[in-house]
């Protein structure tokens, strides 16, 4: 009996505490440690319950422990997560494999879980081999906030009693262990050790386990359902007749199990609330090119003068030099020439992080701030970001392009690429479900996915998953990603393509507006409306003079200037002239050649001429009259073809992955960011072009190197569009690649070896910020170390987190004046309350002032004297 009881309490402890005994720091770890303190109280109460059973049925105690152990051990992971851990699928007859609407459903093991991250579990440990003794101190490790990649860093500490001691840390910023420096220090202490022996010691320490962290979306319902089924199966498979005593024993078992489930579920429900809590916006800044400021006339020029006389200007210039935008020959006085912005420097990007005291003045130039922005860059784990911005962007995104981790094990993406199929599906399911809510009714989502060796990859699973989420499937696009050099002997083929799945909402559609390379070359001229070409005004042969006499008239021109000054035409058999542009000495009259006619009538021609759309060109054999034809129609569409599934058949230049790598290399030379596996701008531009007409929002929540923003800017430059981008990325390259890339592209689209080849970029105005993360909230939330019971209710009926402080330290109650003062600096140093409220309330920002934010619907909120009710969802869940 004692052995079975010990086994059960160990399982119970694992369920409550998980790996709480691991060392290091982190929000999740803090909560697990709090749970370990609650566990002692829970154990005490369960022992009391079992003692009551023992008094009535002493012979049932051993079986009771055994059955509780048998049930709960099936649903506990190493991290304390509640899931199908040891449950064989062939026993799960209760799985839903169809619904009334679908005869086949996709089911996977972790479907009802939120996937949080995969992380290692570190404990301080000694290592001995080859007569050498090491000790690795893991107490200072700060665990991952999300699923970002991190390197283990070893820092030599000291040699103590012949033992070589190291401090172990985590780094995501490219920092690596300096083994050469460690060997030098050891040599000074008199210890002789080879580099291979040192690396062997590191490898032994790193063989500690890796854990997937999950949160069960509804642990209470899940465990009770499993217990009912488990008990039912036991009853059905058992004896044919049950005595009254036996039924009562099983009822006691069920009651204890349910009480345990209620306690367990409270912790899981707390995690669900924190995971889905809207997050604070922190560390926000704006980037704006000078032309966007100068457009505001004298007010804008005054702001530019203040920027260029600011004490932090040198920091901004230093950044421009690091970006390669300017060199040592740059002179401040060249920016404003005769009180006018220099064309060469009009696209210099100003980052308000250097000019925080001018930020309100800069953004105050705009009457409708969010509408004026070209984009938002968000540094965050993407589920938390999508969930936070959903109220603001719900139903507003026309195009989503994502390039998620493919789960191949070899991808260099910042997300770990070693998820099992079930974990990967959970990871994708929750993010795609939020993406569906972001999409407009006619929105389209493109998803890049590899296909080689489908038994290991996720292509077919992704398509099944997306068909469950999105009501409309367009099909798959095929992108040739490389020339196919090389081979894989175990697969007998080389993968040189990827799929791009295409799904959407009920009213989704794709424009018939694919521009071919031939069209791009034909429309070689450009004005403020976009690319155009001069097209002959003569009609085709079937439009004859006999059939359309009203289109057969003479165009009177001044031969000296080629200006059109009137018409000559027949009216009732008489020739008449209509002059509308003054008198001139000489005139020439141009009639349609042969049996052709003009394409348009006199009135329309006159109107188009006055608009600058008609020109007369002098040629060797006379004159030609031509009309300006724009590539893009006023609504942003273009005469073209529907998107073909094989992208190379669309008559456009869709680059290979080598082209994408070259694009990054030209921007950031000599730095190499090929590990980010970028996609070529031409590929993403084509997808955006096929689904937008010029003023929509484009989103990418696996932003990688920022190709999607680059593609949006390139397309806006091409057709004078006003598309906006929303990019989400959690890796440190958010600051080292994405933001610098957009700044560089704003100045020039043409870079070579890290240098701009011209200054013909595009004006841009975007905001970038970070979001509070799940681990940040856990680390800051204040939990009590004891359980304070509400009188009249047992432990099992309590909400044990009711009296905990959450993030209420941000509030200060003024009892005398019956007011609550909000001080968010007690939580985070730099909270952008305007953007936080915009996300929370789903309202776009119109104006931001120092102590006030005004939204598009006219709502004005005092951000200095904030009503705590507004931010309650952010600090109390």
């Amino acid at each position: 009996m004692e052995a079975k009881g010990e086994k059960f309490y160990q399982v119970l402890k694992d369920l409550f505490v998980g790996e709480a005994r691991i060392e290091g720091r982190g929000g999740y770890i803090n909560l697990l440690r709090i749970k370990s303190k609650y566990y002692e109280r829970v154990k005490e109460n369960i022992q009391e319950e079992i003692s009551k059973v023992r008094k009535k049925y002493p012979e049932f105690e051993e079986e009771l422990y055994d059955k509780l152990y048998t049930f709960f051990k099936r649903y506990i992971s190493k991290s304390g997560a509640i899931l199908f851990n040891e449950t064989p699928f062939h026993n799960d007859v209760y799985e839903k494999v169809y619904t009334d609407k679908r005869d086949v459903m996709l089911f996977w093991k972790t479907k009802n879980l939120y996937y949080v991250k995969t992380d290692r579990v570190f404990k301080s440990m000694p290592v001995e081999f080859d007569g050498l003794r090491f000790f690795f101190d893991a107490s200072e490790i700060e665990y991952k906030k999300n699923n970002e990649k991190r390197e283990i860093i070893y820092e030599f500490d000291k040699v103590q009693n012949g033992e070589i001691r190291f401090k172990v840390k985590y780094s995501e910023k490219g920092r690596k262990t300096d083994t050469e420096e460690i060997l030098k220090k050891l040599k000074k202490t008199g210890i002789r050790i080879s580099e291979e022996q040192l690396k062997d010691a590191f490898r032994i320490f790193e063989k500690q386990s890796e854990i997937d962290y999950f949160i069960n979306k509804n642990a209470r319902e899940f465990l009770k359902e499993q217990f009912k089924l488990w008990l039912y199966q036991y009853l059905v498979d058992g004896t044919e007749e049950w005595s009254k005593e036996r039924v009562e024993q099983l009822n006691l078992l069920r009651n204890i199990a349910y009480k345990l489930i209620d306690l367990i579920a409270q912790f899981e429900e707390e995690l669900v609330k924190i995971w889905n809590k809207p997050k604070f916006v922190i560390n926000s800044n704006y980037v704006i090119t000078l032309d966007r400021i100068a457009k505001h006339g004298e007010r804008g020029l005054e702001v530019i003068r203040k920027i260029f006389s600011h004490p932090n200007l040198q920091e901004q210039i230093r950044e421009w030099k690091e970006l390669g935008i300017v060199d040592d020959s740059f002179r401040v006085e060249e920016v404003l020439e005769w009180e006018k912005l220099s064309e060469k420097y009009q696209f210099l990007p100003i980052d308000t992080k250097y000019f925080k005291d001018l930020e309100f003045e800069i953004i105050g130039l705009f009457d409708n701030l969010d509408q004026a922005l070209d984009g938002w860059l968000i540094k965050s784990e993407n589920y938390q970001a999508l969930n936070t911005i959903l109220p603001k962007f719900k139903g507003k995104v026309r195009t989503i392009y994502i390039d998620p981790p493919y789960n191949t094990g070899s991808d260099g993406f910042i997300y770990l690429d070693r998820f099992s199929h079930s974990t990967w599906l959970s990871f994708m399911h929750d993010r795609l479900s939020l993406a569906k809510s972001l999409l407009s009714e006619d929105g389209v989502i493109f998803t890049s996915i590899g296909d080689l060796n489908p038994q290991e990859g996720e292509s077919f699973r992704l398509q099944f998953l997306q068909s469950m989420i999105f009501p409309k499937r367009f099909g798959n696009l095929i992108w040739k990603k490389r020339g196919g050099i090389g081979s894989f002997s175990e697969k007998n083929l080389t993968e040189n393509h990827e799929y791009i799945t295409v799904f959407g909402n009920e009213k989704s559609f794709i424009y018939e507006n694919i521009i071919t390379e031939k069209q791009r070359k034909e429309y070689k001229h450009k004005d403020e409306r976009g690319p155009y070409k001069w097209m002959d005004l003569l009609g085709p042969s079937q439009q004859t003079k006999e059939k359309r006499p009203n289109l057969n008239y003479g165009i009177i021109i001044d031969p000296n200037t080629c200006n059109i000054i009137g018409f000559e035409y027949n009216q009732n058999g008489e020739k008449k002239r209509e002059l509308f542009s003054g008198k001139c000495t000489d005139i020439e009259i141009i009639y349609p050649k042969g049996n052709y006619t003009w394409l348009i009538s006199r009135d329309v021609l006159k109107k188009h001429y006055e608009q600058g759309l008609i020109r007369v060109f002098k040629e060797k054999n006379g004159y030609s009259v031509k009309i300006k034809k724009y590539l893009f129609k006023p609504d942003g569409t273009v005469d073209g073809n529907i998107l073909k599934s094989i992208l190379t058949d669309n008559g456009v230049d869709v680059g290979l992955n080598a082209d994408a790598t070259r694009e990054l290399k030209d921007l950031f030379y000599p730095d190499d960011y090929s590990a980010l596996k970028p996609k070529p701008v031409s590929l993403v531009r084509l997808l955006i072009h096929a689904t937008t007409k010029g003023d929509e929002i484009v989103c990418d929540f696996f932003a990688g190197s920022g190709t999607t923003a680059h593609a949006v800017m390139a397309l806006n430059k091409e057709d004078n569009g006003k598309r906006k981008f929303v990019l989400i990325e959690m890796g440190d390259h958010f600051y080292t690649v994405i933001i610098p890339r957009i700044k560089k592209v704003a100045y020039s689209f043409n870079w070579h070896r890290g240098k701009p080849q011209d200054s013909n970029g595009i004006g841009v105005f975007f905001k970038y910020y970070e979001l509070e993360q799940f681990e940040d909230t856990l680390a800051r939330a204040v939990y009590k170390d004891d359980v304070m019971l509400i009188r009249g209710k047992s432990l099992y009926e309590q909400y044990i987190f009711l009296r905990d402080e959450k993030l209420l330290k941000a509030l200060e109650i003024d009892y005398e004046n019956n007011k609550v003062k909000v001080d968010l600096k007690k939580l985070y140093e730099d909270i952008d309350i305007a953007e936080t409220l915009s996300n929370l309330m789903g309202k776009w920002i119109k104006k931001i002032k120092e102590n006030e934010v005004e939204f598009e619907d006219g709502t004005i909120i005092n951000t200095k004297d904030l009503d705590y009710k507004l931010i309650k969802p952010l600090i109390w869940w």
Side-chain angles (χ1 to χ4, degrees), residues 1 50 53-54 57-66:
M1 185 270 296
I50 291 178
V53 175
R54 187 190 308 124
Y57 301 108
E59 73 285 355
F60 183 58
E61 181 182 6
E62 184 172 355
E63 185 184 355
L64 176 64
Y65 275 127
D66 185 53

Side-chain angles (χ1 to χ4, degrees), residues 713-827:
M713 293 167 71
L715 199 51
N716 282 345
K717 177 75 172 179
E718 185 176 283
D719 65 6
N720 293 318
K722 301 295 181 185
R723 301 170 187 82
K724 299 177 187 293
F725 53 81
V726 178
L727 267 60
I728 300 167
E729 178 55 56
M730 70 178 182
D732 191 58
H733 59 275
F734 178 86
Y735 289 112
T736 58
V737 178
I738 298 177
I739 295 174
R741 180 176 190 171
I742 298 176
K743 289 176 178 178
K744 284 170 173 274
V745 170
Y747 186 74
S748 173
F749 284 100
N750 188 15
W751 288 73
H752 181 63
R753 296 176 69 85
K755 300 294 182 185
Q757 302 304 292
D758 53 44
S759 57
N760 189 25
I762 182 171
V764 74
F765 181 24
F766 69 89
K767 184 172 190 174
Y768 66 92
Y769 60 80
E770 298 177 20
L771 282 178
E772 170 194 29
Q773 297 294 281
F774 176 65
E775 284 271 344
D776 292 330
T777 311
L778 281 174
R780 284 169 172 77
V782 179
Y783 291 101
K784 301 297 181 185
D785 292 347
D786 60 331
V787 179
M788 182 171 142
L789 302 182
I790 299 171
R791 189 175 297 173
K793 289 189 176 183
S794 69
L795 175 69
Y796 314 105
E797 300 172 286
Q798 309 286 324
Y799 172 52
I800 56 180
F801 293 107
L802 182 64
R803 64 187 292 270
D804 289 319
E805 294 179 18
K806 318 293 191 208
L807 301 180
L808 286 182
K809 65 182 179 181
L811 304 184
E812 188 179 303
I813 301 175
D814 182 352
Y815 292 100
E816 287 185 13
N817 298 306
N818 195 29
K819 285 191 70 177
V820 178
K821 183 181 177 183
V822 179
D823 185 3
L824 296 176
K825 286 190 178 293
K826 291 182 178 179
L827 300 178

Side-chain angles (χ1 to χ4, degrees), residues 2 29 59 69 132 234 269 271 332 343 416 458 467 497 551 565 622-623 719 728-729 812 825 865 868:
E2 186 176 340
I29 305 304
E59 73 285 355
Y69 165 77
L132 296 166
Y234 172 76
E269 287 164 2
L271 288 176
V332 171
E343 188 173 334
L416 285 175
E458 304 292 356
S467 69
H497 79 281
L551 299 182
I565 59 173
Y623 298 91
D719 65 6
I728 300 167
E729 178 55 56
E812 188 179 303
K825 286 190 178 293
D865 187 16
Y868 79 95

Side-chain angles (χ1 to χ4, degrees), residues 377-436:
L377 302 182
I378 305 168
K379 187 177 190 295
S380 170
E381 187 277 330
N382 53 15
Y383 176 86
Q384 293 166 82
L386 291 169
N387 190 52
T388 296
I389 69 172
L390 181 58
K392 181 168 182 172
F393 291 97
K394 186 175 183 178
K396 291 183 171 70
V397 176
R398 167 63 172 145
T399 306
I400 295 175
Y401 169 76
I402 54 172
D403 183 12
Y406 296 174
N407 199 15
T408 61
S410 61
D411 198 334
F413 207 83
I414 197 73
Y415 287 85
L416 285 175
D417 246 5
R418 294 192 297 276
F419 313 129
S420 66
H421 302 309
S422 185
T423 303
W424 189 84
L425 284 168
S426 294
F427 170 79
M428 291 300 297
H429 175 265
D430 293 333
R431 286 147 185 81
L432 290 172
S433 297
L434 287 171
K436 181 185 183 299

Side-chain angles (χ1 to χ4, degrees), residues 343-551:
E343 188 173 334
K344 179 181 178 181
Y345 294 122
Q346 63 177 324
F347 297 137
L348 283 177
I350 300 296
D351 194 324
T352 62
K353 70 179 179 181
Y354 301 119
F355 312 100
K356 295 306 284 185
D357 55 331
L358 294 178
E359 188 171 83
F360 287 116
E361 196 169 346
I362 292 170
I363 62 178
L365 293 169
F366 299 90
D367 294 328
N368 200 326
L369 182 58
D370 274 350
Q371 291 295 344
L373 287 173
D374 296 303
W376 294 261
L377 302 182
I378 305 168
K379 187 177 190 295
S380 170
E381 187 277 330
N382 53 15
Y383 176 86
Q384 293 166 82
L386 291 169
N387 190 52
T388 296
I389 69 172
L390 181 58
K392 181 168 182 172
F393 291 97
K394 186 175 183 178
K396 291 183 171 70
V397 176
R398 167 63 172 145
T399 306
I400 295 175
Y401 169 76
I402 54 172
D403 183 12
Y406 296 174
N407 199 15
T408 61
S410 61
D411 198 334
F413 207 83
I414 197 73
Y415 287 85
L416 285 175
D417 246 5
R418 294 192 297 276
F419 313 129
S420 66
H421 302 309
S422 185
T423 303
W424 189 84
L425 284 168
S426 294
F427 170 79
M428 291 300 297
H429 175 265
D430 293 333
R431 286 147 185 81
L432 290 172
S433 297
L434 287 171
K436 181 185 183 299
S437 298
L438 283 177
L439 278 180
S440 59
E441 286 183 341
D442 58 359
V444 177
I445 178 169
F446 298 96
T447 307
S448 282
I449 188 74
D451 188 49
L452 188 60
N453 196 352
Q455 293 307 310
E456 295 177 9
E458 304 292 356
S459 175
F460 68 100
R461 294 184 184 90
L462 174 68
Q463 293 178 65
F464 203 159
L465 176 66
Q466 288 183 306
S467 69
M468 288 172 53
I469 296 170
F470 299 97
K472 189 168 185 177
R473 178 179 183 269
F474 290 89
N476 290 337
L477 301 173
I478 300 173
W479 170 58
K480 183 179 178 182
K481 65 178 184 178
R482 63 170 174 245
I485 299 171
S487 64
F488 299 99
S489 57
E490 70 276 16
K491 300 184 179 79
N492 298 315
L493 57 87
T494 293
E495 182 194 47
N496 69 340
H497 79 281
E498 287 181 1
Y499 287 135
I500 299 173
T501 67
V502 189
F503 285 83
N505 281 334
E506 290 85 353
K507 298 180 181 178
S508 298
F509 66 92
I510 295 175
Y511 287 109
E512 297 184 12
N513 64 346
I514 304 305
I515 303 173
T516 66
E517 293 306 311
K518 182 180 178 183
Q519 284 174 304
R520 291 185 193 279
K521 291 174 182 176
E522 286 177 354
Y523 291 80
K524 57 187 176 182
H525 306 290
K526 190 170 186 179
D527 62 16
E528 66 280 354
R529 259 194 62 185
Y532 67 89
K533 67 177 180 179
W534 289 108
M535 190 179 76
D536 207 313
L537 202 59
L538 284 175
S541 57
Q542 64 265 29
Q543 195 162 295
T544 63
K545 294 174 179 177
E546 289 78 15
K547 291 180 180 179
R548 298 298 301 273
N550 62 316
L551 299 182

